[in-house]
Amino acid sequence: MQRALSAIVGKTNRVGALNRFALGQEKINGQQYTVNAISIHGNAFVTEAWTYDTVPIERASSVCSLERLLDGSEPIVQELSDYLERALQALQIAEGPAHAEIIVDHRGPVLVDFGARLQGTMSAKARTMALGHNHMTLTAWCYADPKGFGEYMRLRGPYKRQAHALCVSLISDMGGVVAGYPGLEAIRKLPSFADAIAFVPIGQELVPTIDLASTPGIVYLVNSDLTTLENDYRKLRAMRMDQVFDLVMQDRD
């Protein structure tokens, strides 16, 4: 515990602020989910729920590897929705967007991360393809036309998945300065390709992945045919990072 505190407190974090405190959380062993919602006048409407899968990695406990879109009719989505609605009430979040990370273990759902905001690293294009809507445009509608939005969401009921979708976080085991993206052409030719975001910019350094910030890029796959989607996912995962990126090794003098 002391070693962990020493590594955090008194250090400058990624946003340039000094860490004055550290928050300890219980280790929850269970399936993690990403759940987004929008509240209006104290009524919360879940817009989407995704499984959140991680893989163990050297020099880190685990990193995100894959998010899979769930259908709104699935029992686990209803359980997550009910739990998040109670959490929003407890936190007194009555208006606007919310993004939550929830782990479900043998005791039920546990809120492990939360923000009264939109989800980051989100492709509006891919999510609209899979859902017919996205968290950003629904949030804008909520503020621009609260009455119309509320009426629509109450009549809509649970959201409906229109196509299967995967949000794939690339994982790098190598480093180098990015000179280009030769593998993007092959990725874009996958039948399920929907979008590619948050790729390390040309001229910046790609490093081995140890956390969310060092994820080299995110690819969305969307397809109504699950077999095609899974085949495309396997092809994407089989690509090495030096096939996706043109990497120039730096001299270490």
Side-chain angles (χ1 to χ4, degrees):
M1 176 67 75
Q2 187 59 49
R3 183 169 57 185
L5 286 172
S6 299
I8 298 170
V9 177
K11 303 296 192 299
T12 301
N13 60 37
R14 293 185 184 276
V15 297
L18 181 68
N19 294 326
R20 301 184 183 278
F21 306 96
L23 174 65
Q25 289 182 291
E26 176 188 358
K27 173 65 174 177
I28 308 295
N29 294 309
Q31 176 62 53
Q32 186 165 340
Y33 299 88
T34 293
V35 188
N36 293 328
I38 300 173
S39 296
I40 181 167
H41 307 327
N43 296 313
F45 301 98
V46 167
T47 61
E48 60 200 289
W50 303 65
T51 60
Y52 185 103
D53 294 340
T54 61
V55 294
I57 204 81
E58 188 177 352
R59 296 192 299 121
S61 58
S62 63
V63 297
C64 178
S65 61
L66 178 68
E67 294 174 68
R68 184 185 297 271
L69 179 63
L70 299 170
D71 186 73
S73 65
E74 297 184 46
I76 185 61
V77 175
Q78 188 59 56
E79 182 180 5
L80 293 167
S81 299
D82 293 343
Y83 175 81
L84 180 57
E85 183 174 359
R86 296 196 304 273
L88 289 167
Q89 291 172 351
L91 294 166
Q92 299 183 350
I93 306 296
E95 309 289 342
H99 166 66
E101 302 286 341
I102 300 170
I103 294 179
V104 178
D105 69 359
H106 65 282
R107 298 167 297 181
V110 180
L111 186 66
V112 294
D113 189 16
F114 174 81
R117 58 170 175 82
L118 295 167
Q119 181 182 355
T121 60
M122 180 169 53
S123 166
K125 173 187 175 183
R127 295 188 183 223
T128 300
M129 290 169 63
L131 290 159
H133 65 251
N134 68 75
H135 202 203
M136 287 178 279
T137 54
L138 287 177
T139 296
W141 185 12
C142 170
Y143 288 121
D145 178 17
K147 182 180 179 181
F149 173 82
E151 290 176 350
Y152 169 79
M153 295 300 280
R154 279 188 287 271
L155 289 172
R156 184 203 67 169
Y159 73 86
K160 294 179 176 61
R161 182 181 61 196
Q162 297 185 357
H164 300 285
L166 302 177
C167 175
V168 184
S169 295
L170 302 182
I171 300 172
S172 177
D173 59 354
M174 57 187 66
V177 176
V178 176
Y181 312 108
L184 260 184
E185 182 178 356
I187 292 172
R188 290 192 176 111
K189 288 181 179 178
L190 294 172
S192 304
F193 175 79
D195 206 359
I197 64 171
F199 271 51
V200 177
I202 291 176
Q204 293 193 17
E205 187 176 7
L206 180 148
V207 298
T209 306
I210 59 169
D211 54 19
L212 181 62
S214 53
T215 300
I218 295 172
V219 176
Y220 278 86
L221 302 175
V222 179
N223 203 304
S224 58
D225 182 74
L226 186 57
T227 300
T228 302
L229 184 79
E230 297 290 354
N231 287 339
D232 288 346
Y233 173 67
R234 284 190 287 271
K235 292 175 183 177
L236 177 61
R237 273 290 178 229
M239 297 181 71
R240 301 191 314 271
M241 288 303 99
D242 58 356
Q243 293 175 314
V244 177
F245 298 90
D246 180 11
L247 296 176
V248 178
M249 298 300 107
Q250 285 186 314
D251 293 331
R252 302 293 184 182
D253 295 332

